[in-house]
C-alpha cells in the first residue's frame, strides 16, 4: 500500500471546468495539425503532378498555399501542440505524467520529426522555383512522410489514453505494448482519413482565388476527390474504431454522445460529401467563403464533438485505464510497479494523506466540516463536474436534483461511488467522515435557476448500467 | 513545509512508473536540447527589437533593409524556438516532474495565458512582417510589432516563473493555501527573480549581436547585397553584442547575490567558469569591434559556447536548490525500455541526420547563390537518404506495430 498520495495541487476553472479549456485548445490544434499533415501530402502530390505533366502553374498555387499553410497550420499547430500539452499538464498533471513516463522516447522521436518538419516547411515554401525539380520532389516527399510520421507517433499515446485493450502492458510495462494497443490502428486510420478530408476543404480556400482557369479547375477537382476519398475511408475506419473501444466507452457513446451529437455528425458528414461532389462537378463555382465556411463547420460540428466525446468516453479514466480523471490510481500496474491508491484512501482517507491540504483540515471537526467537504469535493469530483449550479460541465448540483438533503447525497456516496458501481465514475472508497463532509458541502451549493428536476440518481438505473 | 516533509513529498510525487532509461541520459538531453531553444529565443528577441528600431529609421535604405530582414528573422526564429522548446519540455518533466507540474498547476491561468499570448503575439508579428516592405510601409504597423515583441517578452517571463517556482518545493503548500484557504484559481504568480530573467534578456543582445555579425559574413558572397550594407550590419552587431555581454556580467553578479546562501553558488566551479567565460567573450567582441569582417562565425560559435555554459549552470543551480530536499535524479526508479530507446536513437541519428542534414545543407547552399540552384553530388545523396530514411522508418514502425498488435490482440 502507498503511504501517501502523490497528488498535485489542483486547478479549478469555475463554470466551464478544465475539461473545456482542454477541449477548446484541442479543437484548434486538431484542425491545424491534421490540415498540415494532409496539406503536406497534397503538396507532394501536386508538386509531382506539376513536374511530370510539366505544369508550372501548379507551383504558383503551391507557393501561395504554402504561405497560408505556414501561418495557418504550422504556427497555430506548433503553438497549440505544446498548448494542449500545457493545458493537460495543468488540468491533469498525473495523467500527463503517466503518459510522459511511459512514452517519453516516442515523444522524443516525434520531436525529431516535428523539428525536421518545421525547417522543412520553410524550405518547401522558399525554395519553390529556386532549386531543381528532382531535388524539390525529394524534399516534398520526405516532408509528407515525416509529417505523417508525427501522426503515427502521437496516435499510440492518444489511443493508450482510451485503453491498452489487453493485459500485456499491465504486466510488462513495455512502451510498445502500450503503443500498439487494441485501439491504435483503427484510430490511426480515422485520423489519416480525416487529414485528407480536411486538407481537401482547407485547400479550397486558396484554390478558389487562382487566376488561371484551367489550373483552378484541375486543382479544385483534385481537392474534391481527395476530400471524398478521405470521407469514405473515414466512415469505414470509424466503424472499425468503435469495435476496438472498451465497454465503458461504448456505454457512454451510446447513452450520452450519440444522443447529443449523433445527428449533428451525420448532417455534417452528408453536407461535406455533398460539398465535395458539388465542387468536383462545378469547380469554378467554389468561392473562398464557401471553403472557409466548410472548414469552420468541420471544426465546430465535427471536431468539437469529437474532442468532447473522446474526453467523455474514456471516463472514468484519463489514461491507460489505471489513472482516474480525478488523478487517483485505480489499480496496480505490476509491470511498472504502480500501486493502486484505493487501499490507502479506504484506510486513511484523503485529507490525511494528501500533501496539499491546509494543516487544520487533516482531521474533520464540526467547525471545519464545510471547508473540508469543499476541498474533498473539488479533489474528488471537479475534474469531471462543475460545482456551479449552471456550470457547463455536468454540473453537480443539477445532477443531484439541487438537493439540500445531505442524507440523500451521502447515500449516493456510500453506495454507488463507494463501491465503484457507476461505470463512468471512479471508485471512491472514502471514510465515513469524509463522505459526510462532502454530502454536507454539496447540499450547501446554491440551487439552479431551474426547478429541481426529478432526482437524477436512480439506484436501479445505476445498477443496470453497472452490470453492463 | 520543513525540509524532511518536503523531501518525502517530492519523493511521493515522482511518477511511480519510473523512467525508461538512465536519468543521466535525460539530464544530458535536457541540458543540450535547451541550448538551441535559448539561442533561438535570443536571436528572435534581438531581431524583433532591432527590426522594430530599424523600422522607425526606415527612410535610410540600410535601416530599411535591416528592418525587413530582421522582421523575417524573428518570424522564422519564433517558430523554431517553439519547436526547439518542446524537447527540453519533455525531458524536464521526465526527471523533474514534481517541480514542473506543481509549478505549472500553481500558476495554471498563466500557463494557458502563455499559449494564448504567444499565439496572438505571433500572429501580430506575422502581420507586421507581411506589411513591412519598402520605405513606404505604413507607420501604424509598428505598434503591431511592438505588441508582438511585448507578448514574447511576457512569455519569456512566464517561462522563467515556471522554471523558478519549481525550485522552491518548500513553499508550494503555502502558495496553494494562502492563509489556510485553498486557492485553486491558478491566477497568482508566486515567485520570480528579476536578475535571472534579465540575464536571459541581456543574453539576447549578445547572441543576436553575434548573429548579426555572422549574417554580414554569410551574405558576403551574394552580389545582390551591397558591401556597405553588410558592413553596417556587422558594425551594429558588434555594438549590440558588447552592450549585451556587459549587461550579462552585471546581471549575473546581481543574480548570484540573490541566490539563497544555502545553495552555495559561490563555491561552485561552474559559477566561476561562466563568469570567466563571459569576460573572455566580452573581450573577443571588444577586440573585433572595429574590424570584424570574417569573424562572425567565430564569434557566433563563442556565443553558442556561452549558451552551453549557461545551460549547464542552470542545471547545476537546480540541483543545488533541490539538494536540501534530497532530490537527486540519480535516485529515480529506472525501468529500462530498450525498444523505445532504440527507436529514438534510430530516429534522431538516421532521420534527423539525413533529412535534417539534407534540408539544412540545401537551404544553406541555395541561399548563397543568386538565382536557381542545381543540387551538387552531396545534396543529391542527402536527398536520396532523406527519402529512404523516412520511408524505411514508417515501414519499420508500422511493421513492428502490426506484429505486436497481432501477438497481443490476436
Ligand atoms: C516567445 C516565447 C518564449 C520565450 C521568450 C522563452 C524564453 C525562455 C527563457 C528565458 C527560459 C529560461 C527561464 C529560466 O531559467 O528562468 C526558458 C526556459 C524554457 N523554455 Fe522557453 N521561451 C519561450 C517559449 C517556449 C515554448 C513554446 C516552449 C515549449 C514548447 C518552451 C520551453 C522551455 C523549457 C522546457 C524551458 C526550461 C524550463 C526548466 O528548466 O524547467 N519555451 N524559456
Amino acid at each position: 500500500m502507498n503511504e501517501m498520495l502523490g497528488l498535485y495541487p489542483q486547478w479549478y476553472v469555475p463554470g466551464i471546468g478544465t475539461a473545456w479549456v482542454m477541449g477548446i485548445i484541442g479543437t484548434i490544434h486538431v484542425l491545424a495539425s491534421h490540415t498540415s499533415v494532409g496539406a503536406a501530402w497534397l503538396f507532394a502530390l501536386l508538386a509531382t503532378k506539376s513536374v511530370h505533366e510539366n505544369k508550372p502553374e501548379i507551383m504558383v498555387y503551391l507557393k501561395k498555399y504554402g504561405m497560408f499553410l505556414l501561418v495557418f497550420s504550422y504556427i497555430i499547430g506548433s503553438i497549440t501542440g505544446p498548448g494542449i500539452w500545457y493545458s493537460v499538464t495543468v488540468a491533469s498533471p498525473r495523467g500527463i505524467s503517466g503518459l510522459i513516463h511511459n512514452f517519453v522516447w516516442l515523444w522524443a522521436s516525434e520531436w525529431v520529426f516535428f523539428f525536421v518538419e518545421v525547417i522543412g516547411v520553410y524550405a518547401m515554401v522558399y525554395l519553390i522555383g529556386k532549386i531543381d525539380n528532382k531535388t524539390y520532389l525529394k524534399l516534398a516527399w520526405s516532408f509528407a512522410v515525416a509529417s505523417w510520421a508525427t501522426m503515427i507517433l502521437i496516435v499510440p499515446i492518444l489511443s493508450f489514453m482510451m485503453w491498452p485493450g489487453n493485459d500485456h502492458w499491465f504486466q510488462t510495462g513495455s512502451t510498445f505494448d502500450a503503443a500498439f494497443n487494441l485501439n491504435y490502428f483503427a484510430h490511426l486510420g480515422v485520423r489519416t482519413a480525416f487529414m485528407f478530408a480536411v486538407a481537401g476543404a482547407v485547400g479550397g480556400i486558396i484554390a478558389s482565388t487562382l487566376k488561371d482557369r484551367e489550373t483552378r479547375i484541375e486543382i479544385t477537382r483534385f481537392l474534391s476527390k481527395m476530400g471524398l476519398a478521405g470521407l469514405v475511408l473515414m466512415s469505414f475506419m470509424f466503424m472499425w474504431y468503435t469495435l476496438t473501444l472498451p465497454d465503458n466507452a461504448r456505454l457512454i457513446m451510446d447513452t450520452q454522445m450519440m444522443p447529443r451529437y449523433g445527428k449533428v455528425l451525420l448532417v455534417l458528414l452528408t453536407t461535406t460529401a455533398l460539398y465535395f461532389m458539388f465542387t468536383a462537378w462545378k469547380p469554378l463555382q467554389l468561392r473562398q467563403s464557401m471553403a472557409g465556411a466548410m472548414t469552420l463547420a468541420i471544426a465546430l460540428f465535427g471536431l468539437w464533438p469529437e474532442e468532447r466525446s473522446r474526453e467523455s468516453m474514456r471516463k472514468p479514466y484519463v489514461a491507460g485505464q489505471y489513472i482516474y480523471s480525478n488523478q487517483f490510481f485505480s489499480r496496480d500496474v505490476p509491470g511498472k510497479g504502480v500501486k493502486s491508491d484505493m487501499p490507502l484512501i479506504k484506510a486513511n482517507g484523503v485529507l490525511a494523506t494528501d500533501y496539499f491540504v491546509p494543516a487544520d483540515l487533516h482531521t474533520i471537526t464540526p467547525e471545519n466540516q464545510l471547508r473540508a467537504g469543499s476541498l474533498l469535493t473539488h479533489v474528488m469530483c471537479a475534474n469531471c463536474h462543475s460545482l456551479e449550479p449552471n456550470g457547463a460541465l455536468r454540473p453537480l448540483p443539477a445532477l443531484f436534483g439541487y438537493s439540500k438533503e445531505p442524507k440523500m447525497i451521502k447515500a449516493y456516496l456510500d453506495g454507488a461511488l463507494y463501491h465503484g458501481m457507476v461505470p463512468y465514475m471512479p471508485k471512491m472508497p472514502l471514510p465515513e467522515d469524509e463522505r459526510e463532509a462532502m454530502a454536507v458541502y454539496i447540499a450547501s451549493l446554491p440551487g439552479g435557476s431551474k426547478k429541481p428536476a426529478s432526482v437524477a440518481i436512480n439506484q436501479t438505473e445505476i445498477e443496470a448500467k453497472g452490470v453492463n | 513545509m520543513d525540509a524532511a516533509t518536503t523531501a518525502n513529498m517530492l519523493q511521493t510525487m515522482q511518477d511511480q512508473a519510473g523512467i525508461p532509461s538512465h536519468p543521466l541520459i535525460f539530464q544530458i538531453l535536457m541540458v543540450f536540447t535547451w541550448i538551441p531553444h535559448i539561442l533561438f529565443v535570443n536571436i528572435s528577441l534581438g531581431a524583433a527589437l532591432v527590426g522594430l528600431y530599424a523600422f522607425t529609421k526606415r527612410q535610410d535604405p540600410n535601416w530599411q533593409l535591416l528592418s525587413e530582414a530582421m522582421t523575417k528573422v524573428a518570424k522564422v526564429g519564433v517558430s523554431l524556438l517553439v519547436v526547439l522548446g518542446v524537447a527540453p519540455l519533455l525531458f524536464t518533466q521526465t526527471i523533474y516532474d514534481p517541480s514542473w507540474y506543481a509549478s505549472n498547476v500553481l500558476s495554471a491561468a498563466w500557463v494557458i495565458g502563455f499559449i494564448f499570448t504567444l499565439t496572438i503575439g505571433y500572429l501580430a508579428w506575422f502581420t507586421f512582417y507581411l506589411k513591412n516592405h519598402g520605405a513606404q510601409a505604413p507607420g501604424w504597423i509598428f505598434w503591431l510589432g511592438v505588441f508582438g515583441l511585448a507578448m514574447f517578452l511576457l512569455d519569456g517571463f512566464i517561462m522563467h516563473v515556471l522554471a523558478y517556482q519549481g525550485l522552491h518545493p518548500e513553499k508550494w503548500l503555502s502558495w496553494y493555501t494562502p492563509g489556510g484557504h485553498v486557492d485553486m484559481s491558478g491566477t497568482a504568480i508566486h515567485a520570480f527573480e528579476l536578475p535571472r530573467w534579465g540575464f536571459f534578456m541581456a543574453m539576447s543582445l549578445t547572441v543576436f549581436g553575434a548573429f548579426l555579425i555572422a549574417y554580414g559574413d554569410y551574405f558576403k558572397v551574394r552580389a545582390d547585397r551591397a558591401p556597405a550594407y553588410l558592413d553596417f550590419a556587422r558594425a551594429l552587431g558588434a555594438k549590440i553584442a558588447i552592450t549585451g555581454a556587459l549587461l550579462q556580467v552585471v546581471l549575473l553578479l546581481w543574480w548570484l547575490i540573490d541566490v539563497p546562501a544555502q545553495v552555495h553558488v559561490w563555491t561552485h566551479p561552474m559559477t566561476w567558469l561562466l563568469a570567466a567565460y563571459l569576460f573572455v567573450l566580452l573581450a573577443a567582441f571588444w577586440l573585433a569591434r572595429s574590424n570584424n569582417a570574417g569573424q562572425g562565425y567565430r564569434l557566433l560559435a563563442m556565443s553558442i559556447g556561452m549558451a552551453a555554459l549557461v545551460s549547464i549552470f542552470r542545471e547545476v543551480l537546480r540541483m543545488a536548490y533541490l539538494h536540501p530536499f534530497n532530490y537527486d535524479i540519480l535516485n529515480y526508479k529506472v525501468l529500462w525500455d530498450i525498444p523505445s530507446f532504440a527507436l529514438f536513437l534510430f530516429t534522431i541519428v538516421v532521420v534527423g541526420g539525413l533529412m535534417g542534414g539534407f534540408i539544412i545543407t540545401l537551404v544553406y547552399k541555395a541561399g548563397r547563390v543568386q538565382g536557381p540552384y542545381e543540387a551538387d553530388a552531396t545534396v543529391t545523396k542527402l536527398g536520396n537518404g532523406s527519402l529512404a530514411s523516412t520511408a524505411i522508418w514508417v515501414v519499420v514502425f508500422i511493421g513492428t506495430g502490426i506484429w505486436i498488435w497481432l501477438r497481443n490482440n490476436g
Side-chain angles (χ1 to χ4, degrees):
Chain A
M1 190 168 92
N2 296 326
E3 280 168 26
M4 289 290 278
L5 291 168
L7 295 184
Y8 283 89
Q10 190 173 357
W11 184 40
Y12 180 71
V13 184
I16 59 172
T18 51
W20 272 53
V21 175
M22 286 191 286
I24 293 168
I25 300 181
T27 300
I28 302 173
H29 178 69
V30 171
L31 181 65
S33 60
H34 288 67
T35 307
S36 70
V37 182
W41 281 77
L42 180 68
F43 232 102
L45 289 167
L46 286 178
T48 309
K49 197 174 162 76
S50 162
V51 170
H52 286 172
E53 300 172 16
N54 195 14
K55 289 183 176 150
E57 322 80 72
I58 297 185
M59 288 289 189
V60 177
Y61 167 76
L62 288 185
K63 180 121 203 173
K64 251 179 130 172
Y65 188 57
M67 202 64 199
F68 175 72
L69 196 76
L70 261 180
V71 197
F72 184 77
S73 314
Y74 278 86
I75 309 317
I76 306 295
S78 65
I79 299 176
T80 51
I84 295 199
W85 193 350
Y86 275 109
S87 64
V88 179
T89 297
V90 292
S92 184
R94 282 185 116 194
I96 193 81
S97 178
L99 295 174
I100 295 277
H101 288 85
N102 272 301
F103 291 108
V104 53
W105 291 128
L106 246 59
W107 246 310
S109 309
E110 194 204 359
W111 173 76
V112 175
F113 280 108
F114 190 28
F115 178 67
V116 289
E117 223 189 325
V118 169
I119 55 172
V121 78
Y122 285 112
M124 300 263 293
V125 174
Y126 292 122
L127 296 182
I128 285 187
K130 167 114 187 150
I131 59 175
D132 62 286
N133 283 336
K134 248 202 174 135
T135 311
Y136 194 78
L137 288 186
K138 283 178 203 163
L139 181 63
W141 280 105
S142 305
F143 180 71
V145 179
S147 291
W148 191 45
T150 60
M151 182 186 281
I152 293 181
L153 278 167
I154 197 67
V155 171
I157 300 165
L158 300 177
S159 54
F160 175 80
M161 289 176 83
M162 186 62 83
W163 73 322
N166 54 59
D167 198 45
H168 286 269
W169 174 78
F170 292 111
Q171 305 308 329
T172 63
S174 144
T175 304
F176 280 8
D177 281 337
F180 301 113
N181 53 73
L182 179 60
N183 193 231
Y184 174 63
F185 285 104
H187 194 151
L188 179 64
V190 175
R191 286 186 187 268
T192 302
F194 175 71
M195 89 194 183
F196 284 114
V198 72
V202 176
I205 296 179
I206 303 293
S208 57
T209 64
L210 287 177
K211 298 279 176 300
D212 183 76
R213 202 184 135 89
E214 286 311 304
T215 321
R216 185 166 158 190
I217 293 179
E218 188 165 4
I219 290 182
T220 309
R221 289 230 161 99
F222 192 94
L223 292 170
S224 313
K225 279 185 257 171
M226 190 172 90
L228 266 180
L231 281 186
V232 174
L233 185 65
M234 190 167 78
S235 309
F236 285 110
M237 285 296 165
F238 184 74
M239 285 179 222
W240 182 23
Y241 176 79
T242 57
L243 295 178
T244 63
L245 291 175
D247 289 340
N248 57 323
R250 287 297 291 265
L251 174 73
I252 294 175
M253 191 167 85
D254 294 342
T255 59
Q256 295 170 24
M257 295 300 125
M258 278 309 159
R260 196 173 309 162
Y261 301 125
K263 278 208 193 82
V264 179
L265 288 175
L266 203 66
V267 171
L268 178 71
L269 191 71
T270 323
T271 316
T272 318
L274 288 174
Y275 165 88
F276 282 133
M277 286 182 214
F278 174 75
T279 55
W281 176 42
K282 292 232 180 274
L284 289 176
Q285 295 293 319
L286 176 65
R287 295 281 164 274
Q288 190 169 38
S289 53
M290 284 161 63
M294 193 67 244
T295 307
L296 195 67
I298 293 179
L300 290 180
F301 304 119
L303 290 179
W304 174 253
E306 180 264 345
E307 282 295 297
R308 292 295 304 127
S309 301
R310 237 169 30 84
E311 191 259 343
S312 290
M313 278 159 56
R314 53 171 194 262
K315 294 277 167 285
Y317 303 100
V318 61
Q321 292 202 323
Y322 80 102
I323 310 176
Y324 280 140
S325 293
N326 59 6
Q327 312 290 293
F328 290 80
F329 291 148
S330 70
R331 56 165 288 175
D332 294 348
V333 181
K336 289 286 189 197
V338 171
K339 293 253 182 302
S340 167
D341 286 324
M342 295 300 116
L344 174 63
I345 60 173
K346 187 163 184 177
N348 301 336
V350 169
L351 293 178
T353 56
D354 178 0
Y355 283 101
F356 292 96
V357 171
D360 65 327
L361 287 188
H362 288 304
T363 27
I364 299 177
T365 61
E367 292 74 48
N368 71 17
Q369 191 190 39
L370 205 59
R371 279 174 56 222
S374 165
L375 179 61
L376 283 165
T377 308
H378 280 84
V379 171
M380 302 309 293
C381 323
N383 254 291
C384 306
H385 294 289
S386 297
L387 301 183
E388 295 71 29
N390 300 313
L393 188 72
R394 313 180 190 100
L396 209 48
L399 289 170
F400 278 112
Y402 305 108
S403 168
K404 297 282 164 217
E405 259 316 310
K407 261 213 186 83
M408 187 207 94
I409 295 169
K410 181 151 176 300
Y412 189 70
L413 299 175
D414 293 345
L417 291 184
Y418 188 91
H419 296 290
M421 285 188 318
V422 194
Y424 42 81
M425 272 196 267
K427 182 174 174 166
M428 306 183 198
L430 297 175
E432 177 73 22
D433 58 343
E434 296 196 346
R435 276 176 276 140
E436 179 74 36
M438 285 169 72
V440 170
Y441 170 73
I442 295 173
S444 78
L445 290 171
S449 51
K450 294 169 229 148
K451 281 224 167 91
S454 61
V455 176
I457 10 169
N458 173 330
Q459 203 65 29
T460 48
E461 190 192 286
I462 290 161
E463 266 145 33
K465 285 179 189 167
V467 219
N468 205 307
Chain B
M1 201 182 267
D2 62 68
T5 316
T6 308
N8 287 338
M9 173 188 79
L10 289 176
Q11 210 194 343
T12 314
M13 288 168 86
Q14 272 191 341
D15 202 300
Q16 287 185 24
I19 53 179
S21 299
H22 194 278
L24 277 177
I25 298 179
F26 293 109
Q27 188 178 38
I28 290 170
L29 282 168
M30 179 184 75
V31 170
F32 283 90
T33 55
W34 188 76
I35 300 169
H37 172 61
I38 201 66
L39 284 171
F40 277 92
V41 166
N42 292 154
I43 291 173
S44 306
L45 293 181
L49 185 69
V50 170
L52 280 169
Y53 177 73
F55 184 79
T56 62
K57 306 184 111 190
R58 66 190 181 287
Q59 263 46 37
D60 176 319
N62 276 344
W63 283 107
Q64 191 263 320
L65 265 180
L66 190 71
S67 176
E68 273 186 38
M70 292 308 119
T71 306
K72 193 162 162 179
V73 167
K75 180 203 77 171
V76 177
V78 173
S79 72
L80 286 175
L81 80 84
V82 174
V83 232
L84 290 167
V86 171
L89 179 65
L90 180 61
F91 298 126
T92 195
Q93 57 194 282
T94 305
I95 46 179
Y96 290 110
D97 40 340
S99 289
W100 185 253
Y101 297 134
S103 174
N104 271 255
V105 174
L106 287 169
S107 298
W110 290 91
V111 171
I112 301 298
F114 168 77
I115 298 307
F116 182 69
T117 53
L118 186 55
T119 310
I120 56 171
Y122 194 83
L123 290 176
W125 189 266
F126 203 93
T127 317
F128 174 62
Y129 153 78
L130 286 178
K131 302 214 178 285
N132 184 9
H133 289 298
Q136 266 60 54
W140 62 269
I141 60 170
F142 175 73
W143 297 106
L144 271 181
V146 169
F147 176 77
L149 176 57
M151 292 299 109
F152 301 153
L153 291 171
L154 171 68
D155 294 334
F157 182 72
I158 298 175
M159 276 287 117
H160 158 68
V161 167
L162 295 178
Y164 185 67
Q165 291 182 163
L167 302 179
H168 288 289
E170 77 284 5
K171 296 191 181 148
W172 296 341
L173 178 62
S174 60
W175 289 340
Y176 184 51
T177 57
H181 284 272
V182 181
D183 174 13
M184 296 189 178
S185 72
T187 49
I189 282 190
H190 303 282
F192 59 88
E193 190 176 31
L194 270 186
R196 177 169 171 154
W197 180 72
F199 178 83
F200 293 114
M201 298 302 112
M203 184 174 165
S204 298
L205 296 178
T206 318
V207 174
F208 173 73
F211 171 84
L212 202 54
I213 304 173
Y215 165 86
D217 283 343
Y218 175 79
F219 281 115
K220 228 173 23 214
V221 297
R222 282 265 296 255
D224 54 343
R225 303 289 154 105
Y229 166 69
L230 297 176
D231 287 345
F232 159 80
R234 271 199 309 267
L236 183 67
K239 261 193 243 158
I240 294 174
I242 292 170
T243 316
L246 259 176
L247 280 173
Q248 268 187 284
V249 171
V250 176
L251 284 158
L252 178 65
L253 195 69
W254 180 13
W255 179 5
L256 294 175
I257 294 171
D258 195 65
V259 170
Q262 68 268 27
V263 174
H264 303 297
V265 69
W266 295 101
T267 53
H268 204 289
M270 247 343 269
T271 310
W272 295 102
L273 190 60
L274 177 60
Y277 192 90
L278 275 178
F279 279 107
V280 173
L281 187 67
L282 180 59
F285 281 120
W286 182 255
L287 292 175
R289 74 191 177 286
S290 47
N291 179 22
N292 57 16
Q295 311 228 39
Y297 290 2
R298 184 176 62 84
L299 292 170
L300 187 59
M302 286 185 74
S303 305
I304 295 173
M306 184 260 295
L309 290 183
V310 170
S311 186
I312 298 170
F313 176 67
R314 245 173 51 94
E315 180 58 8
V316 163
L317 204 56
R318 170 158 35 205
M319 290 160 70
Y321 265 101
L322 296 179
H323 181 73
F325 311 111
N326 290 333
Y327 193 93
D328 182 348
I329 56 160
L330 291 176
N331 300 333
Y332 215 121
K333 178 171 105 189
V334 179
L335 293 173
W336 269 97
D337 191 86
I338 305 284
S340 68
F341 183 47
L343 173 78
F344 169 69
L345 290 180
F346 177 72
T347 311
I348 191 154
V349 174
V350 179
V351 178
L354 288 172
M355 184 167 169
F358 171 53
I359 298 174
I360 291 171
T361 318
L362 178 65
V363 169
Y364 180 85
K365 291 196 169 172
R368 280 169 69 105
V369 298
Q370 213 179 332
Y373 168 79
E374 193 78 34
D376 59 18
T378 321
V379 173
T380 306
K381 271 199 208 123
L382 279 172
N384 296 341
S386 164
L387 227 121
S389 67
T390 47
I392 291 171
W393 189 94
V394 169
V395 171
V396 170
F397 189 82
I398 297 281
T400 314
I402 292 176
W403 174 60
I404 291 177
W405 194 88
L406 288 175
R407 195 193 64 193
N408 288 356
N409 300 303

